[in-house]
């Protein structure tokens, strides 16, 4: 595994946790540095870190707050 990849994995807690939970990624990351982008995409998909997931989560929170306000009135 390249040093840049190791450094990136150690500095990001979510990547480190995902790698710990899914240890098969060690094999893919050791084979080729090109697999790093695939790893990042898989991690973002699992932890819902994509922009569309963040927007959906924000909209859900707004709906929850508005329903609580309506209930209080």
């Amino acid at each position: 595994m390249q040093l840049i990849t190791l450094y990136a994995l150690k500095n990001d807690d979510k990547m480190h946790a995902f790698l710990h939970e899914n240890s098969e990624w060690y094999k893919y990351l050791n084979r080729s540095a090109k697999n790093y982008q695939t790893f990042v995409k898989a991690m973002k998909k699992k932890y819902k870190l994509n922009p569309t997931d963040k927007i959906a989560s924000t909209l859900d929170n707004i709906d929850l707050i508005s329903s609580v306000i309506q209930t209080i009135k």
Side-chain angles (χ1 to χ4, degrees):
M1 195 178 312
Q2 293 182 350
L3 289 176
I4 295 172
T5 306
L6 280 172
Y7 184 73
L9 293 174
K10 293 219 179 230
N11 285 335
D12 191 348
D13 292 335
K14 291 208 185 264
M15 281 189 199
H16 188 70
F18 183 73
L19 189 60
H20 184 70
E21 293 170 3
N22 302 294
S23 59
E24 71 271 4
W25 278 102
Y26 281 111
K27 176 175 58 174
Y28 300 127
L29 292 171
N30 278 327
R31 287 184 181 169
S32 175
K34 295 177 184 176
N35 291 328
Y36 178 73
Q37 292 300 324
T38 310
F39 169 77
V40 171
K41 287 179 185 177
M43 187 260 319
K44 285 184 176 185
K45 185 176 180 181
K46 178 170 189 219
Y47 291 129
K48 297 182 179 177
L49 298 174
N50 293 323
T52 54
D53 295 328
K54 290 180 180 180
I55 291 171
S57 175
T58 304
L59 290 175
D60 289 343
N61 288 337
I62 291 171
D63 286 342
L64 176 67
I65 292 170
S66 66
S67 66
V68 168
I69 290 172
Q70 290 296 327
T71 306
I72 292 174
K73 286 183 180 182

Coordinates of all heavy atoms in Angstrom, one line a residue:
M1 N 0.9 -1.2 0.0 CA 0.0 0.0 0.0 C 0.9 1.2 0.0 O 1.9 1.3 0.7 CB -0.9 0.0 1.2 CG -2.0 0.9 1.2 SD -3.2 0.9 2.6 CE -3.5 -0.8 2.9
Q2 N 0.5 2.2 -0.7 CA 1.3 3.4 -0.8 C 1.2 4.3 0.5 O 0.2 4.2 1.2 CB 0.9 4.3 -2.0 CG 1.2 3.6 -3.3 CD 0.7 4.5 -4.5 OE1 0.1 5.6 -4.3 NE2 1.1 4.2 -5.7
L3 N 2.3 5.0 0.7 CA 2.3 5.8 2.0 C 1.2 6.9 2.0 O 0.6 7.2 3.0 CB 3.7 6.5 2.1 CG 4.8 5.5 2.5 CD1 6.1 6.2 2.5 CD2 4.5 4.8 3.8
I4 N 0.9 7.5 0.8 CA -0.1 8.5 0.8 C -1.5 7.9 1.1 O -2.3 8.5 1.9 CB -0.2 9.1 -0.7 CG1 1.1 9.8 -1.0 CG2 -1.4 10.0 -0.8 CD1 1.3 10.3 -2.4
T5 N -1.7 6.7 0.7 CA -3.0 6.0 1.0 C -3.1 5.7 2.5 O -4.1 5.9 3.1 CB -3.1 4.7 0.2 OG1 -3.0 5.0 -1.2 CG2 -4.5 4.1 0.4
L6 N -2.0 5.2 3.1 CA -1.9 4.9 4.5 C -2.2 6.1 5.3 O -2.9 6.1 6.3 CB -0.6 4.3 4.9 CG -0.4 2.8 4.6 CD1 1.1 2.4 4.8 CD2 -1.3 2.0 5.5
Y7 N -1.5 7.2 4.9 CA -1.7 8.5 5.6 C -3.1 9.0 5.6 O -3.7 9.4 6.6 CB -0.7 9.5 5.0 CG -0.7 10.9 5.8 CD1 -0.1 11.0 7.0 CD2 -1.4 12.0 5.2 CE1 -0.1 12.2 7.7 CE2 -1.4 13.2 5.9 CZ -0.7 13.3 7.1 OH -0.7 14.5 7.8
A8 N -3.8 8.9 4.4 CA -5.2 9.3 4.3 C -6.1 8.4 5.2 O -7.0 8.9 5.8 CB -5.6 9.2 2.8
L9 N -5.8 7.1 5.2 CA -6.7 6.2 6.0 C -6.5 6.5 7.5 O -7.5 6.4 8.2 CB -6.3 4.8 5.7 CG -6.7 4.3 4.3 CD1 -6.1 2.9 4.0 CD2 -8.1 4.3 4.0
K10 N -5.3 6.7 7.9 CA -5.1 6.9 9.4 C -5.6 8.3 9.9 O -6.0 8.4 11.0 CB -3.6 6.8 9.7 CG -3.1 5.4 9.5 CD -2.1 5.1 10.5 CE -1.6 3.7 10.3 NZ -1.7 2.8 11.4
N11 N -5.7 9.3 9.0 CA -6.1 10.6 9.4 C -7.6 10.8 9.4 O -8.1 11.7 10.0 CB -5.5 11.7 8.6 CG -4.0 11.9 8.9 OD1 -3.6 11.6 10.0 ND2 -3.3 12.3 8.0
D12 N -8.3 9.9 8.7 CA -9.8 10.0 8.6 C -10.4 8.9 9.5 O -10.2 7.7 9.2 CB -10.3 9.9 7.2 CG -11.7 10.3 7.0 OD1 -12.4 10.4 8.0 OD2 -12.2 10.4 5.9
D13 N -11.1 9.3 10.5 CA -11.7 8.3 11.5 C -12.7 7.4 10.8 O -12.8 6.2 11.1 CB -12.3 9.0 12.7 CG -11.2 9.7 13.5 OD1 -10.1 9.2 13.5 OD2 -11.6 10.7 14.2
K14 N -13.5 8.0 9.9 CA -14.6 7.2 9.3 C -14.0 6.1 8.4 O -14.4 5.0 8.3 CB -15.6 8.1 8.5 CG -16.4 8.9 9.5 CD -17.7 9.2 8.8 CE -18.5 10.1 9.7 NZ -19.4 9.4 10.6
M15 N -12.9 6.5 7.6 CA -12.3 5.6 6.7 C -11.6 4.5 7.6 O -11.7 3.3 7.2 CB -11.2 6.3 5.9 CG -11.7 7.0 4.7 SD -10.3 7.5 3.7 CE -11.1 8.8 2.8
H16 N -11.0 4.9 8.6 CA -10.3 3.9 9.5 C -11.3 2.9 10.1 O -11.1 1.7 10.1 CB -9.6 4.6 10.6 CG -8.7 3.7 11.4 ND1 -7.5 3.2 10.9 CD2 -8.8 3.3 12.7 CE1 -7.0 2.4 11.8 NE2 -7.7 2.5 12.9
A17 N -12.5 3.4 10.5 CA -13.5 2.5 11.1 C -14.1 1.6 10.0 O -14.3 0.4 10.2 CB -14.6 3.4 11.7
F18 N -14.3 2.1 8.8 CA -14.8 1.3 7.7 C -13.9 0.2 7.3 O -14.2 -0.9 7.1 CB -15.2 2.2 6.5 CG -15.8 1.5 5.4 CD1 -17.1 1.0 5.4 CD2 -15.1 1.2 4.2 CE1 -17.7 0.4 4.4 CE2 -15.6 0.5 3.2 CZ -16.9 0.1 3.2
L19 N -12.6 0.6 7.3 CA -11.6 -0.4 7.0 C -11.5 -1.5 8.0 O -11.3 -2.7 7.7 CB -10.2 0.3 6.8 CG -9.1 -0.5 6.3 CD1 -9.4 -1.1 4.9 CD2 -7.8 0.3 6.2
H20 N -11.6 -1.1 9.3 CA -11.6 -2.0 10.4 C -12.8 -3.0 10.3 O -12.7 -4.2 10.6 CB -11.6 -1.3 11.7 CG -11.5 -2.2 12.9 ND1 -10.3 -2.8 13.2 CD2 -12.4 -2.5 13.9 CE1 -10.5 -3.6 14.3 NE2 -11.7 -3.4 14.7
E21 N -14.0 -2.5 9.9 CA -15.2 -3.3 9.8 C -15.2 -4.2 8.6 O -15.7 -5.3 8.6 CB -16.4 -2.4 9.8 CG -16.7 -1.7 11.0 CD -17.8 -0.6 10.9 OE1 -18.4 -0.5 9.8 OE2 -18.1 0.1 11.9
N22 N -14.5 -3.7 7.5 CA -14.5 -4.5 6.2 C -13.1 -4.7 5.9 O -12.5 -4.1 5.0 CB -15.2 -3.6 5.1 CG -16.6 -3.3 5.5 OD1 -17.5 -4.2 5.6 ND2 -16.9 -2.1 5.8
S23 N -12.5 -5.7 6.5 CA -11.0 -5.9 6.4 C -10.6 -6.4 5.0 O -9.4 -6.4 4.6 CB -10.5 -6.9 7.4 OG -11.2 -8.1 7.4
E24 N -11.6 -6.9 4.2 CA -11.2 -7.3 2.8 C -10.7 -6.2 2.0 O -10.0 -6.4 1.0 CB -12.4 -8.0 2.1 CG -13.5 -7.1 1.7 CD -14.6 -6.8 2.8 OE1 -14.5 -7.3 3.9 OE2 -15.6 -6.1 2.5
W25 N -10.9 -5.0 2.4 CA -10.4 -3.8 1.6 C -8.9 -3.7 1.7 O -8.3 -3.1 0.9 CB -11.1 -2.5 2.1 CG -12.4 -2.3 1.4 CD1 -13.7 -2.5 1.9 CD2 -12.6 -1.9 0.0 NE1 -14.6 -2.3 1.0 CE2 -14.0 -1.9 -0.2 CE3 -11.8 -1.5 -1.0 CZ2 -14.6 -1.5 -1.4 CZ3 -12.3 -1.2 -2.2 CH2 -13.7 -1.2 -2.4
Y26 N -8.3 -4.3 2.8 CA -6.8 -4.3 2.9 C -6.2 -4.9 1.7 O -5.3 -4.4 1.1 CB -6.4 -5.0 4.1 CG -6.5 -4.2 5.4 CD1 -7.4 -4.6 6.4 CD2 -5.6 -3.2 5.7 CE1 -7.5 -3.9 7.6 CE2 -5.7 -2.4 6.8 CZ -6.6 -2.8 7.8 OH -6.7 -2.1 9.0
K27 N -6.8 -6.0 1.3 CA -6.3 -6.8 0.1 C -6.4 -5.9 -1.2 O -5.4 -5.9 -1.9 CB -7.1 -8.1 0.0 CG -6.8 -8.9 -1.2 CD -7.5 -10.2 -1.2 CE -9.0 -10.0 -1.2 NZ -9.8 -11.3 -1.4
Y28 N -7.5 -5.3 -1.4 CA -7.7 -4.5 -2.6 C -6.8 -3.3 -2.6 O -6.3 -2.9 -3.7 CB -9.2 -4.1 -2.8 CG -10.1 -5.3 -2.8 CD1 -11.2 -5.4 -2.0 CD2 -9.9 -6.3 -3.7 CE1 -12.1 -6.4 -2.0 CE2 -10.8 -7.4 -3.8 CZ -11.9 -7.4 -3.0 OH -12.7 -8.5 -3.0
L29 N -6.7 -2.6 -1.5 CA -5.8 -1.4 -1.4 C -4.4 -1.8 -1.5 O -3.6 -1.0 -2.1 CB -6.1 -0.7 -0.1 CG -7.5 0.0 0.0 CD1 -7.7 0.5 1.4 CD2 -7.7 1.1 -1.0
N30 N -4.0 -2.9 -1.1 CA -2.6 -3.4 -1.3 C -2.3 -3.7 -2.7 O -1.1 -3.6 -3.1 CB -2.3 -4.6 -0.4 CG -1.9 -4.2 1.0 OD1 -1.4 -3.1 1.3 ND2 -2.3 -5.0 2.0
R31 N -3.2 -4.2 -3.4 CA -3.0 -4.6 -4.8 C -2.8 -3.4 -5.7 O -2.0 -3.5 -6.6 CB -4.2 -5.5 -5.3 CG -4.1 -6.9 -4.7 CD -5.2 -7.7 -5.3 NE -5.2 -9.0 -4.6 CZ -6.1 -9.9 -4.8 NH1 -7.2 -9.7 -5.5 NH2 -6.1 -11.1 -4.2
S32 N -3.6 -2.4 -5.5 CA -3.6 -1.3 -6.5 C -4.0 0.0 -5.8 O -5.0 0.0 -5.1 CB -4.4 -1.6 -7.7 OG -4.5 -0.4 -8.6
A33 N -3.4 1.1 -6.1 CA -3.8 2.4 -5.5 C -5.1 2.9 -6.2 O -5.7 3.8 -5.7 CB -2.7 3.4 -5.7
K34 N -5.4 2.3 -7.4 CA -6.6 2.8 -8.1 C -7.9 2.3 -7.3 O -8.9 2.9 -7.5 CB -6.6 2.1 -9.4 CG -5.5 2.7 -10.4 CD -5.6 2.0 -11.7 CE -4.4 2.4 -12.5 NZ -4.4 1.7 -13.8
N35 N -7.7 1.4 -6.4 CA -8.9 0.9 -5.7 C -9.3 1.8 -4.5 O -10.3 1.7 -3.9 CB -8.6 -0.5 -5.1 CG -8.6 -1.6 -6.1 OD1 -9.3 -1.5 -7.2 ND2 -7.8 -2.6 -5.9
Y36 N -8.4 2.8 -4.3 CA -8.7 3.8 -3.2 C -10.0 4.6 -3.5 O -10.8 4.8 -2.6 CB -7.5 4.8 -3.0 CG -7.7 5.8 -2.0 CD1 -7.7 5.5 -0.6 CD2 -8.0 7.1 -2.3 CE1 -7.9 6.4 0.3 CE2 -8.2 8.1 -1.4 CZ -8.2 7.7 -0.1 OH -8.4 8.7 0.9
Q37 N -10.2 5.0 -4.7 CA -11.4 5.7 -5.1 C -12.6 4.9 -4.9 O -13.7 5.4 -4.4 CB -11.3 6.3 -6.5 CG -10.3 7.3 -6.7 CD -10.5 8.6 -5.8 OE1 -11.7 9.0 -5.6 NE2 -9.5 9.1 -5.3
T38 N -12.6 3.6 -5.2 CA -13.7 2.7 -5.0 C -13.9 2.5 -3.5 O -15.1 2.4 -3.1 CB -13.3 1.3 -5.7 OG1 -12.9 1.5 -7.0 CG2 -14.6 0.4 -5.6
F39 N -12.9 2.4 -2.7 CA -13.0 2.3 -1.3 C -13.7 3.6 -0.7 O -14.6 3.4 0.1 CB -11.6 2.2 -0.7 CG -11.6 2.3 0.8 CD1 -12.0 1.3 1.6 CD2 -11.1 3.5 1.4 CE1 -12.0 1.4 3.0 CE2 -11.1 3.6 2.8 CZ -11.5 2.6 3.6
V40 N -13.3 4.7 -1.2 CA -13.9 6.0 -0.7 C -15.4 6.0 -1.0 O -16.3 6.4 -0.2 CB -13.2 7.2 -1.2 CG1 -14.0 8.5 -0.9 CG2 -11.8 7.3 -0.7
K41 N -15.8 5.6 -2.2 CA -17.2 5.6 -2.7 C -18.0 4.6 -1.8 O -19.1 4.9 -1.4 CB -17.3 5.2 -4.1 CG -16.9 6.3 -5.1 CD -17.0 5.8 -6.5 CE -16.4 6.9 -7.5 NZ -16.4 6.4 -8.9
A42 N -17.4 3.4 -1.5 CA -18.1 2.4 -0.7 C -18.3 2.9 0.7 O -19.4 2.7 1.3 CB -17.3 1.1 -0.7
M43 N -17.3 3.6 1.2 CA -17.4 4.2 2.6 C -18.4 5.3 2.7 O -19.3 5.3 3.6 CB -16.0 4.7 3.0 CG -15.9 5.2 4.4 SD -16.1 7.0 4.8 CE -15.1 7.8 3.5
K44 N -18.5 6.1 1.7 CA -19.5 7.2 1.6 C -20.9 6.7 1.5 O -21.8 7.2 2.1 CB -19.2 8.2 0.5 CG -18.0 9.1 0.8 CD -17.8 10.1 -0.3 CE -16.7 11.1 0.1 NZ -16.6 12.2 -0.9
K45 N -21.0 5.6 0.7 CA -22.3 5.0 0.5 C -22.8 4.3 1.9 O -24.0 4.5 2.2 CB -22.3 3.9 -0.5 CG -23.6 3.3 -0.9 CD -23.5 2.3 -2.0 CE -24.8 1.7 -2.3 NZ -24.7 0.7 -3.4
K46 N -21.9 3.7 2.6 CA -22.3 3.0 3.8 C -22.7 4.1 4.9 O -23.7 3.9 5.6 CB -21.2 2.1 4.4 CG -21.6 1.5 5.7 CD -20.7 0.5 6.1 CE -21.3 -0.2 7.3 NZ -20.7 -0.6 8.3
Y47 N -21.9 5.1 5.0 CA -22.1 6.1 6.1 C -23.0 7.3 5.6 O -23.2 8.2 6.4 CB -20.8 6.6 6.6 CG -20.0 5.6 7.4 CD1 -18.6 5.3 7.1 CD2 -20.6 4.9 8.4 CE1 -17.9 4.4 7.8 CE2 -19.8 3.9 9.1 CZ -18.5 3.7 8.8 OH -17.8 2.8 9.5
K48 N -23.5 7.2 4.4 CA -24.4 8.2 3.8 C -23.8 9.6 3.9 O -24.3 10.5 4.4 CB -25.7 8.1 4.5 CG -26.4 6.8 4.3 CD -27.8 6.8 5.0 CE -28.4 5.4 4.8 NZ -29.7 5.3 5.4
L49 N -22.6 9.7 3.3 CA -21.9 10.9 3.2 C -22.0 11.6 1.9 O -21.3 12.7 1.7 CB -20.4 10.7 3.6 CG -20.2 10.2 5.0 CD1 -18.7 9.9 5.2 CD2 -20.7 11.1 6.1
N50 N -22.8 11.1 1.0 CA -22.9 11.7 -0.3 C -23.8 13.0 -0.2 O -24.6 13.1 0.7 CB -23.6 10.8 -1.3 CG -22.6 9.6 -1.6 OD1 -21.4 9.8 -1.7 ND2 -23.2 8.4 -1.8
P51 N -23.6 14.0 -1.1 CA -24.4 15.2 -1.0 C -25.9 14.9 -1.0 O -26.7 15.6 -0.3 CB -24.0 16.0 -2.2 CG -22.6 15.5 -2.5 CD -22.6 14.0 -2.1
T52 N -26.4 14.0 -1.8 CA -27.8 13.7 -1.9 C -28.3 13.1 -0.5 O -29.4 13.5 -0.1 CB -28.2 12.8 -3.0 OG1 -27.4 11.6 -2.9 CG2 -27.9 13.4 -4.3
D53 N -27.5 12.3 0.1 CA -27.9 11.8 1.4 C -27.9 12.9 2.5 O -28.8 12.9 3.3 CB -26.9 10.7 1.8 CG -26.9 9.5 0.9 OD1 -28.0 9.2 0.4 OD2 -25.9 8.8 0.8
K54 N -27.0 13.8 2.4 CA -27.0 14.9 3.4 C -28.2 15.8 3.2 O -28.8 16.2 4.2 CB -25.7 15.7 3.2 CG -24.5 15.0 3.7 CD -23.2 15.8 3.5 CE -22.0 15.1 4.0 NZ -20.8 15.9 3.8
I55 N -28.6 16.1 2.0 CA -29.7 16.9 1.7 C -31.0 16.2 2.2 O -31.9 16.8 2.8 CB -29.8 17.2 0.2 CG1 -28.7 18.2 -0.2 CG2 -31.2 17.9 -0.2 CD1 -28.5 18.4 -1.7
A56 N -31.1 14.9 1.9 CA -32.3 14.1 2.4 C -32.4 14.1 3.9 O -33.5 14.3 4.4 CB -32.2 12.7 1.8
S57 N -31.3 14.0 4.5 CA -31.2 14.0 6.0 C -31.7 15.4 6.5 O -32.4 15.5 7.5 CB -29.8 13.7 6.5 OG -29.8 13.8 7.9
T58 N -31.2 16.4 5.9 CA -31.6 17.8 6.3 C -33.1 18.0 6.1 O -33.7 18.6 7.0 CB -30.8 18.8 5.5 OG1 -29.4 18.6 5.7 CG2 -31.1 20.2 6.0
L59 N -33.6 17.6 5.0 CA -35.0 17.7 4.8 C -35.9 16.9 5.8 O -36.9 17.4 6.2 CB -35.4 17.3 3.3 CG -34.9 18.2 2.2 CD1 -35.2 17.6 0.9 CD2 -35.5 19.6 2.3
D60 N -35.4 15.8 6.1 CA -36.1 15.0 7.2 C -36.1 15.7 8.5 O -37.1 15.7 9.2 CB -35.5 13.6 7.3 CG -35.7 12.7 6.1 OD1 -36.7 13.0 5.3 OD2 -35.0 11.7 6.0
N61 N -35.0 16.3 8.8 CA -34.9 17.1 10.1 C -35.8 18.3 10.1 O -36.4 18.6 11.1 CB -33.4 17.5 10.4 CG -32.6 16.4 10.8 OD1 -33.0 15.3 11.2 ND2 -31.3 16.5 10.6
I62 N -35.9 19.0 8.9 CA -36.8 20.1 8.8 C -38.2 19.7 9.0 O -39.0 20.3 9.6 CB -36.5 20.8 7.5 CG1 -35.2 21.5 7.5 CG2 -37.6 21.9 7.2 CD1 -34.7 22.1 6.2
D63 N -38.6 18.6 8.3 CA -39.9 18.0 8.5 C -40.3 17.7 9.9 O -41.4 17.9 10.4 CB -40.1 16.8 7.6 CG -40.2 17.1 6.1 OD1 -40.5 18.3 5.8 OD2 -40.0 16.2 5.3
L64 N -39.3 17.1 10.6 CA -39.5 16.7 12.0 C -39.7 18.0 12.9 O -40.6 18.0 13.7 CB -38.3 15.9 12.5 CG -38.3 15.5 14.0 CD1 -39.5 14.5 14.3 CD2 -37.0 15.0 14.4
I65 N -38.9 19.0 12.7 CA -39.0 20.2 13.4 C -40.3 20.9 13.2 O -41.0 21.4 14.1 CB -37.8 21.1 13.2 CG1 -36.6 20.5 13.7 CG2 -38.1 22.5 13.7 CD1 -35.3 21.2 13.3
S66 N -40.7 20.9 11.9 CA -42.0 21.6 11.6 C -43.2 20.8 12.1 O -44.2 21.4 12.6 CB -42.2 21.8 10.0 OG -42.3 20.5 9.4
S67 N -43.1 19.5 12.2 CA -44.2 18.7 12.7 C -44.3 18.9 14.3 O -45.4 19.0 14.8 CB -44.1 17.3 12.4 OG -43.0 16.7 13.0
V68 N -43.2 19.1 14.9 CA -43.2 19.3 16.3 C -43.7 20.7 16.6 O -44.5 20.9 17.6 CB -41.7 19.2 16.9 CG1 -41.6 19.7 18.3 CG2 -41.2 17.8 16.9
I69 N -43.4 21.7 15.8 CA -43.9 23.0 16.0 C -45.4 23.1 15.8 O -46.2 23.7 16.5 CB -43.2 24.0 15.1 CG1 -41.8 24.2 15.5 CG2 -43.9 25.4 15.0 CD1 -40.9 25.0 14.6
Q70 N -45.9 22.3 14.8 CA -47.3 22.3 14.5 C -48.1 21.6 15.7 O -49.2 22.0 16.0 CB -47.6 21.5 13.2 CG -47.2 22.2 12.0 CD -48.0 23.5 11.8 OE1 -49.1 23.6 12.1 NE2 -47.3 24.5 11.2
T71 N -47.4 20.6 16.3 CA -48.1 19.9 17.4 C -48.1 20.8 18.6 O -49.1 20.8 19.4 CB -47.2 18.6 17.8 OG1 -47.1 17.8 16.6 CG2 -47.9 17.8 18.8
I72 N -47.1 21.6 18.8 CA -47.1 22.5 20.0 C -48.2 23.6 19.8 O -48.8 24.0 20.8 CB -45.7 23.2 20.1 CG1 -44.7 22.1 20.5 CG2 -45.7 24.3 21.1 CD1 -43.3 22.6 20.6
K73 N -48.4 24.1 18.6 CA -49.4 25.2 18.4 C -50.8 24.6 18.7 O -51.6 24.5 19.1 CB -49.4 25.6 17.0 CG -48.2 26.5 16.6 CD -48.3 27.0 15.2 CE -47.1 27.8 14.9 NZ -47.2 28.4 13.6

